[in-house]
Amino acid sequence: MNITILYGSETGTAQDVAEQIWKSAKRKGLKSNVSAMDDYDIRNLDSEKIVVFVAATTGQGDPPNNMRQFWRFLLRKNLPTMLLANLKYGILGLGDSSYQKFNFAAKKLNRRLMQLGARELLPIGLADDQHDLGIDAVIDPWLEELWMKVANTFNVCTTDLICNQNNIIERFHVSEISKNSMNNECSWVNDIFMSEISTNNEVKVGTITENTRTTTEDHFQDVRLIKFRSDNVNYQPGDIVYVRPRNSKKQVERFFNILSDNNVHLNPDMLIQVSEKEIKVPTVLKQILTLRQIVEQYWDLNFIPRRSTMKVLSFISENELEKEKLHEFTTASGQEELYSYINRPRRNILELLTDFPNTTSKLNVKLLFEIMSPIKPRAFSIASSLKVTPNEIHLLVAVVKYKTKLFEPRYGLCSNWLANLTVGEKIIFWIQKGTFKFDYNKPMILIGPGTGVAPFRSVLLDRSASDDDLRDCILFFGCRNKNKDYHCKDDFEYLSQKKHLNLFCAFSRDQEHKIYVQHIIRAEKQLCWEFLSGNGNIYLAGNSKNMPNCVREEFVNLTKEMTESTEEEAENFVRQLENQNRYQIETWG
């Protein structure tokens, strides 16, 4: 029996989980193969016995890019209703409950497979990135149930057969290449992802033209308006940019120092060749690279270790105390301990290796490929308009830095990398459709506190380029202080004064009592209701913590008051706006 594992992912997380399931199957001696859904020959689907799907959700419940072709095929109306009658399947959804359409891609896939006659091997698993333990809180028990169902349904053994150091399951062949065997004409690129440009027309190179702080120096948060140029870029307001950051030089040196201090002496300039073993090798690793390039540009040194990381380390550890603790982290009873050690303080992979020196001393290059995680691309809303600044892209980026109980502050990998880019430096990026679908023919209510205002700067600049009148647009912006963190103030005040934009700001700390965007919406309820009565749309972007629910509640109250309706009737009205795509949100944790 063969288990096919298919994934759909925008950033690579679903691929990581799919490979984790593949490793789990290998440990049990089961045959399995893993691939992206769009790389799979879908003509074989009706002959499969068991398929495990790992599906992430993007935007407003959309399937990720490498799942869309597969999804379009399943939606064909001419498919027989019992096409997949012989298929048993399991679906693991990866999502974020701060989004309204939580795990929609996985849920829609589940419904469609049932419509085509397939049968659930076990109930759908809905992993939530907002959980204290992250997605592992759902993945681990779901996997246990998967193997139990496989054993009972297909009468096969699902007991782990491989559980020691000598049988670590490696995804790739990893070898060191002698410099003497290299062609002298081989040239080393500064950015290893340049190789993607020749194979993917969507990937482009930009040149930084401006990197300006939009908050005052004495403000607690550093926010940047970053501008870069690139030929032949094409985007619409609401679209997003993906970028791949690099680790800082300080973190890279720290990585090598940790290994060296624990008697793992690896030359940063050693040449590494990665070739296929059983898992498809990522495009970027198909070229010969130095270990330093891989550490700087491919592995995420800020990675928060997961339970699967602990499992590999527990296999190789020969120190009794360290091995016992690492093993405890992999057990169901040890999850509270794992949360307290890893998730609560946001302890990263380098700190883990420092805390377990005897285990770290057993590492080598091959094992590093099994415990390190690739840097995931980060998404940012585009804050500019091609009509105003041709061949330019602007990003509004909050630099992430915060304290935990650990001595060292936590730093966001991508935001800090972006903040340190200087004029003339290059950035590799690609553009994708965002979640917002702006309708220029209808009144707009835009709500964007903090950096959530980025997509609304884009749409307002875009409209202003061909329309002198923005009277049918309202912008609710919120920040702490008018004089400290009013992002893009000049742009919005110009649009208000010259283009008649209805601009309302909530400066929460400029008076004794805090004022937030929902309070300003309440004060402008008459204007908001006029816009909604005129078939207007609501667009909201920002942090997912409290603001989206507070704003939604305000629109329910506003509807109730303006129409003298009941709570239930007002709630139904707002829900109808959401169902009709007239109330769109884009939030992040």
Side-chain angles (χ1 to χ4, degrees), residues 451-474:
T451 57
V453 81
F456 305 141
R457 180 179 185 263
S458 175
V459 70
L460 290 170
L461 288 175
D462 199 71
R463 282 197 56 176
S464 71
S466 53
D467 189 351
D468 281 336
D469 197 342
L470 296 179
R471 293 177 200 272
D472 64 346
C473 296
I474 303 174

Side-chain angles (χ1 to χ4, degrees), residues 95-372:
D96 185 323
S97 58
S98 67
Y99 284 85
Q100 186 182 17
K101 296 185 176 179
F102 172 58
N103 266 317
F104 256 43
K107 293 173 183 176
K108 288 190 289 189
L109 176 62
N110 193 40
R111 284 196 298 271
R112 186 56 180 155
L113 290 173
M114 286 182 173
Q115 289 170 355
L116 294 173
R119 288 169 290 172
E120 278 187 320
L121 191 62
L122 74 167
I124 185 173
L126 301 175
D128 183 7
D129 205 43
Q130 293 294 318
H131 192 281
D132 286 344
L133 287 172
I135 56 178
D136 282 341
V138 167
I139 291 173
D140 294 326
W142 188 88
L143 264 181
E144 288 181 18
E145 185 178 357
L146 170 69
W147 298 129
M148 183 183 69
K149 295 289 187 180
V150 169
N152 294 338
T153 305
F154 297 96
N155 195 28
V156 296
C157 176
T158 56
T159 304
D160 279 7
L161 305 177
I162 301 173
C163 54
N164 61 59
Q165 173 187 353
N166 298 323
N167 289 295
I168 293 292
I169 298 167
E170 297 172 356
R171 294 168 297 166
F172 315 125
H173 283 294
V174 180
S175 54
E176 182 179 359
I177 301 297
S178 167
K179 288 186 178 180
N180 295 330
S181 66
M182 291 298 300
N183 189 321
N184 291 331
E185 296 178 3
C186 181
S187 61
W188 301 110
V189 293
N190 186 44
D191 195 311
I192 65 176
F193 288 96
M194 289 291 288
S195 59
E196 290 190 340
I197 295 173
S198 59
T199 57
N200 188 342
N201 293 330
E202 294 179 357
V203 180
K204 298 182 181 297
V205 179
T207 304
I208 301 295
T209 58
E210 191 176 319
N211 190 338
T212 308
R213 180 165 175 152
T214 66
T215 53
T216 57
E217 291 295 333
D218 62 342
H219 189 62
F220 82 100
Q221 188 173 46
D222 181 357
V223 177
R224 301 296 178 113
L225 183 63
I226 298 169
K227 303 178 181 181
F228 56 93
R229 291 187 60 82
S230 183
D231 294 336
N232 303 317
V233 290
N234 185 29
Y235 62 84
Q236 300 296 323
D239 288 353
I240 57 176
V241 161
Y242 276 95
V243 298
R244 269 203 187 88
R246 295 186 183 192
N247 294 300
S248 68
K249 289 182 179 179
K250 180 182 176 182
Q251 283 287 76
V252 172
E253 292 309 310
R254 185 180 177 192
F255 171 86
F256 284 111
N257 287 338
I258 290 170
L259 294 183
S260 178
D261 291 346
N262 292 288
N263 297 313
V264 181
H265 300 293
L266 295 175
N267 181 358
D269 296 320
M270 68 189 292
L271 302 178
I272 304 294
Q273 185 170 51
V274 180
S275 55
E276 190 167 321
K277 193 170 188 178
E278 294 189 65
I279 296 292
K280 186 177 178 181
V281 176
T283 302
V284 68
L285 294 181
K286 291 180 180 178
Q287 56 193 322
I288 295 174
L289 302 169
T290 66
L291 181 59
R292 185 184 297 278
Q293 286 176 311
I294 294 170
V295 173
E296 180 190 52
Q297 301 179 50
Y298 186 72
W299 286 334
D300 186 351
L301 302 186
N302 277 10
F303 167 62
I304 305 301
R306 293 176 51 208
R307 191 170 168 180
S308 55
T309 314
M310 304 301 182
K311 181 169 285 190
V312 174
L313 291 174
S314 71
F315 287 165
I316 69 170
S317 183
E318 295 179 359
N319 178 275
E320 186 176 344
L321 288 176
E322 291 186 10
K323 190 178 187 74
E324 182 181 349
K325 176 54 71 174
L326 289 164
H327 176 70
E328 181 187 353
F329 287 150
T330 70
T331 64
S333 60
Q335 291 314 286
E336 182 57 40
E337 188 77 15
L338 178 64
Y339 172 72
S340 296
Y341 173 66
I342 290 289
N343 299 74
R344 183 175 284 123
R346 306 292 292 170
R347 198 180 302 269
N348 65 36
I349 184 68
L350 299 190
E351 290 160 335
L352 171 67
L353 297 180
T354 301
D355 289 348
F356 290 82
N358 295 293
T359 304
T360 298
S361 69
K362 301 301 176 184
L363 291 173
N364 55 40
V365 171
K366 291 183 178 181
L367 288 171
L368 284 171
F369 272 90
E370 300 309 320
I371 67 164
M372 301 302 292

Side-chain angles (χ1 to χ4, degrees), residues 445 474 476 502 504 519-534 554-555 557-559 561-563:
I445 301 174
I474 303 174
F476 291 104
N502 296 283
F504 302 101
H519 302 133
I520 306 298
I521 291 170
R522 184 182 307 163
E524 298 300 329
K525 60 187 176 185
Q526 185 69 45
L527 182 61
C528 288
W529 186 250
E530 287 176 13
F531 273 48
L532 291 177
S533 300
E554 199 53 58
F555 276 106
N557 292 335
L558 180 155
T559 303
E561 186 173 340
M562 299 305 296
T563 61

